[in-house]
Amino acid sequence: MNRTTAILAASILATTLSACGSNSLFSRDRPDEFAVSRQAPLVVPPDFSLTPPAPGAARPGNETTAEQTLKALFGGDAPRSAAETSIIGRADGQRADPGIRSSVGSPGTQVVDKGLVTRDIIFAPEGDGRDASAAIPGA
């Protein structure tokens, strides 16, 4: 065993044994885990007024998640108001498909991607028009 190996072994032994000592880093005050108090158990209120389901009635919650979401967002079928009927009549809306709102956002609807240039034009800040210019081709 040469000298460097002995020094290395001694330093490892000293480091290992020094970890067993106590210093201010490891002897800090900790909370007492046995001093924790328990909370009172939850109690069901005695005035629950639940009614049993009627025999043969449809079970609540038989709808899919999508149906529940649509019902929560848009409600059920509602009659059109007089203003809405008037606007649809003026726009020749009797030819329109009544379920168009449902099919517009469907994955089968074909859309045209206008690209980033159109988006940049729409969201461009409004200016005073001094830098705008038009060129007529062939003139």
Side-chain angles (χ1 to χ4, degrees), residues 66-79 101-102 105:
E67 291 170 345
Q68 290 174 357
T69 304
L70 287 173
K71 187 180 278 186
L73 288 175
F74 303 112
D77 294 333
R101 291 181 182 164
S102 301

PDB file of all heavy atoms in Angstrom, residues 66-79 101-102 105:
ATOM      1  N   ALA A  66     -70.295  14.745 -23.746  1.00  0.00           N
ATOM      2  CA  ALA A  66     -70.510  15.768 -24.774  1.00  0.00           C
ATOM      3  C   ALA A  66     -71.928  16.316 -24.703  1.00  0.00           C
ATOM      4  O   ALA A  66     -72.146  17.529 -24.827  1.00  0.00           O
ATOM      5  CB  ALA A  66     -70.225  15.188 -26.154  1.00  0.00           C
ATOM      6  N   GLU A  67     -72.926  15.449 -24.505  1.00  0.00           N
ATOM      7  CA  GLU A  67     -74.311  15.903 -24.410  1.00  0.00           C
ATOM      8  C   GLU A  67     -74.520  16.772 -23.175  1.00  0.00           C
ATOM      9  O   GLU A  67     -75.223  17.779 -23.221  1.00  0.00           O
ATOM     10  CB  GLU A  67     -75.253  14.703 -24.379  1.00  0.00           C
ATOM     11  CG  GLU A  67     -75.328  13.946 -25.693  1.00  0.00           C
ATOM     12  CD  GLU A  67     -76.080  12.632 -25.558  1.00  0.00           C
ATOM     13  OE1 GLU A  67     -76.297  12.164 -24.420  1.00  0.00           O
ATOM     14  OE2 GLU A  67     -76.461  12.067 -26.603  1.00  0.00           O
ATOM     15  N   GLN A  68     -73.904  16.381 -22.064  1.00  0.00           N
ATOM     16  CA  GLN A  68     -74.020  17.183 -20.846  1.00  0.00           C
ATOM     17  C   GLN A  68     -73.375  18.551 -21.029  1.00  0.00           C
ATOM     18  O   GLN A  68     -73.894  19.560 -20.554  1.00  0.00           O
ATOM     19  CB  GLN A  68     -73.365  16.447 -19.675  1.00  0.00           C
ATOM     20  CG  GLN A  68     -74.112  15.232 -19.218  1.00  0.00           C
ATOM     21  CD  GLN A  68     -73.357  14.459 -18.146  1.00  0.00           C
ATOM     22  OE1 GLN A  68     -72.240  14.809 -17.786  1.00  0.00           O
ATOM     23  NE2 GLN A  68     -73.971  13.415 -17.634  1.00  0.00           N
ATOM     24  N   THR A  69     -72.250  18.596 -21.744  1.00  0.00           N
ATOM     25  CA  THR A  69     -71.565  19.858 -21.985  1.00  0.00           C
ATOM     26  C   THR A  69     -72.411  20.772 -22.855  1.00  0.00           C
ATOM     27  O   THR A  69     -72.555  21.958 -22.566  1.00  0.00           O
ATOM     28  CB  THR A  69     -70.210  19.599 -22.656  1.00  0.00           C
ATOM     29  OG1 THR A  69     -69.445  18.713 -21.852  1.00  0.00           O
ATOM     30  CG2 THR A  69     -69.445  20.888 -22.856  1.00  0.00           C
ATOM     31  N   LEU A  70     -72.980  20.221 -23.926  1.00  0.00           N
ATOM     32  CA  LEU A  70     -73.823  21.037 -24.803  1.00  0.00           C
ATOM     33  C   LEU A  70     -75.051  21.559 -24.066  1.00  0.00           C
ATOM     34  O   LEU A  70     -75.465  22.702 -24.251  1.00  0.00           O
ATOM     35  CB  LEU A  70     -74.244  20.226 -26.030  1.00  0.00           C
ATOM     36  CG  LEU A  70     -73.149  19.966 -27.059  1.00  0.00           C
ATOM     37  CD1 LEU A  70     -73.650  19.020 -28.136  1.00  0.00           C
ATOM     38  CD2 LEU A  70     -72.674  21.269 -27.667  1.00  0.00           C
ATOM     39  N   LYS A  71     -75.644  20.727 -23.223  1.00  0.00           N
ATOM     40  CA  LYS A  71     -76.816  21.159 -22.473  1.00  0.00           C
ATOM     41  C   LYS A  71     -76.439  22.253 -21.473  1.00  0.00           C
ATOM     42  O   LYS A  71     -77.183  23.216 -21.287  1.00  0.00           O
ATOM     43  CB  LYS A  71     -77.455  19.981 -21.745  1.00  0.00           C
ATOM     44  CG  LYS A  71     -78.774  20.359 -21.085  1.00  0.00           C
ATOM     45  CD  LYS A  71     -79.383  19.187 -20.362  1.00  0.00           C
ATOM     46  CE  LYS A  71     -80.120  18.327 -21.366  1.00  0.00           C
ATOM     47  NZ  LYS A  71     -80.873  17.239 -20.720  1.00  0.00           N
ATOM     48  N   ALA A  72     -75.268  22.132 -20.856  1.00  0.00           N
ATOM     49  CA  ALA A  72     -74.840  23.147 -19.896  1.00  0.00           C
ATOM     50  C   ALA A  72     -74.507  24.467 -20.592  1.00  0.00           C
ATOM     51  O   ALA A  72     -74.784  25.540 -20.065  1.00  0.00           O
ATOM     52  CB  ALA A  72     -73.629  22.644 -19.115  1.00  0.00           C
ATOM     53  N   LEU A  73     -73.915  24.395 -21.785  1.00  0.00           N
ATOM     54  CA  LEU A  73     -73.528  25.615 -22.492  1.00  0.00           C
ATOM     55  C   LEU A  73     -74.705  26.308 -23.170  1.00  0.00           C
ATOM     56  O   LEU A  73     -74.856  27.519 -23.080  1.00  0.00           O
ATOM     57  CB  LEU A  73     -72.457  25.294 -23.543  1.00  0.00           C
ATOM     58  CG  LEU A  73     -71.077  24.954 -23.015  1.00  0.00           C
ATOM     59  CD1 LEU A  73     -70.175  24.536 -24.158  1.00  0.00           C
ATOM     60  CD2 LEU A  73     -70.482  26.150 -22.297  1.00  0.00           C
ATOM     61  N   PHE A  74     -75.522  25.552 -23.871  1.00  0.00           N
ATOM     62  CA  PHE A  74     -76.551  26.149 -24.704  1.00  0.00           C
ATOM     63  C   PHE A  74     -77.965  25.915 -24.202  1.00  0.00           C
ATOM     64  O   PHE A  74     -78.920  26.404 -24.802  1.00  0.00           O
ATOM     65  CB  PHE A  74     -76.435  25.611 -26.137  1.00  0.00           C
ATOM     66  CG  PHE A  74     -75.087  25.852 -26.737  1.00  0.00           C
ATOM     67  CD1 PHE A  74     -74.240  24.798 -27.012  1.00  0.00           C
ATOM     68  CD2 PHE A  74     -74.648  27.134 -27.007  1.00  0.00           C
ATOM     69  CE1 PHE A  74     -72.990  25.011 -27.561  1.00  0.00           C
ATOM     70  CE2 PHE A  74     -73.410  27.361 -27.556  1.00  0.00           C
ATOM     71  CZ  PHE A  74     -72.572  26.301 -27.833  1.00  0.00           C
ATOM     72  N   GLY A  75     -78.130  25.160 -23.144  1.00  0.00           N
ATOM     73  CA  GLY A  75     -79.465  24.864 -22.664  1.00  0.00           C
ATOM     74  C   GLY A  75     -80.170  23.908 -23.608  1.00  0.00           C
ATOM     75  O   GLY A  75     -79.574  23.332 -24.514  1.00  0.00           O
ATOM     76  N   GLY A  76     -81.420  23.748 -23.431  1.00  0.00           N
ATOM     77  CA  GLY A  76     -82.178  22.872 -24.313  1.00  0.00           C
ATOM     78  C   GLY A  76     -82.693  23.637 -25.527  1.00  0.00           C
ATOM     79  O   GLY A  76     -82.256  24.746 -25.823  1.00  0.00           O
ATOM     80  N   ASP A  77     -83.643  23.028 -26.221  1.00  0.00           N
ATOM     81  CA  ASP A  77     -84.250  23.694 -27.362  1.00  0.00           C
ATOM     82  C   ASP A  77     -85.092  24.855 -26.849  1.00  0.00           C
ATOM     83  O   ASP A  77     -85.900  24.709 -25.934  1.00  0.00           O
ATOM     84  CB  ASP A  77     -85.131  22.716 -28.139  1.00  0.00           C
ATOM     85  CG  ASP A  77     -84.301  21.617 -28.783  1.00  0.00           C
ATOM     86  OD1 ASP A  77     -83.120  21.873 -29.064  1.00  0.00           O
ATOM     87  OD2 ASP A  77     -84.846  20.521 -28.993  1.00  0.00           O
ATOM     88  N   ALA A  78     -84.881  26.017 -27.440  1.00  0.00           N
ATOM     89  CA  ALA A  78     -85.634  27.201 -27.038  1.00  0.00           C
ATOM     90  C   ALA A  78     -86.278  27.805 -28.278  1.00  0.00           C
ATOM     91  O   ALA A  78     -85.694  27.794 -29.354  1.00  0.00           O
ATOM     92  CB  ALA A  78     -84.705  28.217 -26.389  1.00  0.00           C
ATOM     93  N   PRO A  79     -87.500  28.334 -28.141  1.00  0.00           N
ATOM     94  CA  PRO A  79     -88.138  28.977 -29.292  1.00  0.00           C
ATOM     95  C   PRO A  79     -87.398  30.262 -29.646  1.00  0.00           C
ATOM     96  O   PRO A  79     -86.797  30.904 -28.794  1.00  0.00           O
ATOM     97  CB  PRO A  79     -89.562  29.257 -28.806  1.00  0.00           C
ATOM     98  CG  PRO A  79     -89.455  29.296 -27.326  1.00  0.00           C
ATOM     99  CD  PRO A  79     -88.337  28.364 -26.951  1.00  0.00           C
ATOM    100  N   ARG A 101     -75.143  25.387 -37.142  1.00  0.00           N
ATOM    101  CA  ARG A 101     -74.237  25.711 -36.035  1.00  0.00           C
ATOM    102  C   ARG A 101     -73.513  24.473 -35.532  1.00  0.00           C
ATOM    103  O   ARG A 101     -72.394  24.546 -35.064  1.00  0.00           O
ATOM    104  CB  ARG A 101     -75.012  26.351 -34.898  1.00  0.00           C
ATOM    105  CG  ARG A 101     -75.520  27.724 -35.228  1.00  0.00           C
ATOM    106  CD  ARG A 101     -76.263  28.318 -34.072  1.00  0.00           C
ATOM    107  NE  ARG A 101     -76.783  29.629 -34.414  1.00  0.00           N
ATOM    108  CZ  ARG A 101     -77.702  30.255 -33.731  1.00  0.00           C
ATOM    109  NH1 ARG A 101     -78.197  29.689 -32.649  1.00  0.00           N
ATOM    110  NH2 ARG A 101     -78.111  31.435 -34.096  1.00  0.00           N
ATOM    111  N   SER A 102     -74.154  23.330 -35.633  1.00  0.00           N
ATOM    112  CA  SER A 102     -73.525  22.090 -35.180  1.00  0.00           C
ATOM    113  C   SER A 102     -72.494  21.578 -36.167  1.00  0.00           C
ATOM    114  O   SER A 102     -71.518  20.951 -35.785  1.00  0.00           O
ATOM    115  CB  SER A 102     -74.574  21.010 -34.955  1.00  0.00           C
ATOM    116  OG  SER A 102     -75.510  21.427 -34.002  1.00  0.00           O
ATOM    117  N   GLY A 105     -68.344  23.624 -36.819  1.00  0.00           N
ATOM    118  CA  GLY A 105     -67.118  23.293 -36.106  1.00  0.00           C
ATOM    119  C   GLY A 105     -66.731  21.836 -36.179  1.00  0.00           C
ATOM    120  O   GLY A 105     -65.802  21.409 -35.509  1.00  0.00           O
TER     121      GLY A 105
END
